[in-house]
Amino acid sequence: MAATRSSASRRALCSASAIVCKQVTGTHVLRVDGYSHLREVGKIGAYLAIASDPNAKEPVSARTKFSVLDRLRNPGLVKETVMASFKAGGTWGYGCLIGGEDLHKSEYLNNDSFAIRCDITVTTVSERPDHVVFIAGNTEPDVTQT
């Protein structure tokens, strides 16, 4: 005599959550005209401050790349950072991206001006809260006895 498979369906209870990461990349170019008036400075630095919600509890993760551009606006001298956490009001960068004398003798200075490009990649992380999922199906094994 054979046992028959139960036709009763049961629902399994399961919870699920997700963490979603997205990256957004943007570029900003700073052009400095009249460099000869700044020669006494001795060095050129580049810093980035990320404007974020001052009430934000979590820091923003970002990677920056500073490039001194040549006459054709192609990246020449490049300094890149690792992924760093920025809190509201925080900055990241280089106090000496290029020395003043090095800039003066370089291909980057053109008609008493130069440009620095900053590429920034910001990673956002959002969490999706737990929620309950019902999965319909037969939870009993298919057993046949002969």
Side-chain angles (χ1 to χ4, degrees), residues 17-139:
S17 60
I19 297 175
V20 179
C21 299
K22 294 181 182 179
Q23 287 189 332
V24 177
T25 299
T27 298
H28 179 79
V29 176
L30 169 67
R31 181 182 160 121
V32 177
D33 291 319
Y35 168 72
S36 58
H37 302 290
L38 298 173
R39 285 201 60 191
E40 295 81 35
V41 173
K43 61 183 179 180
I44 304 299
Y47 289 91
L48 175 72
I50 296 181
S52 62
D53 180 0
N55 298 319
K57 295 178 183 173
E58 297 297 321
V60 174
S61 295
R63 174 174 297 142
T64 58
K65 179 169 68 171
F66 296 99
S67 308
V68 181
L69 303 179
D70 66 15
R71 289 184 173 123
L72 299 175
R73 299 298 183 226
N74 295 315
L77 174 70
V78 176
K79 291 197 177 178
E80 203 165 342
T81 64
V82 296
M83 189 64 72
S85 292
F86 288 84
K87 292 184 179 177
T91 62
W92 188 268
Y94 296 94
C96 183
L97 184 61
I98 187 169
E101 284 302 313
D102 293 333
L103 179 63
H104 184 69
K105 297 175 187 175
S106 74
E107 71 227 46
Y108 309 123
L109 190 59
N110 185 29
N111 294 326
D112 204 31
S113 68
F114 68 96
I116 298 173
R117 183 173 95 186
C118 176
D119 298 304
I120 180 168
T121 301
V122 176
T123 302
T124 60
V125 179
S126 60
E127 296 181 22
R128 305 290 193 250
D130 288 344
H131 58 278
V132 177
V133 177
F134 291 99
I135 302 171
N138 186 352
T139 60

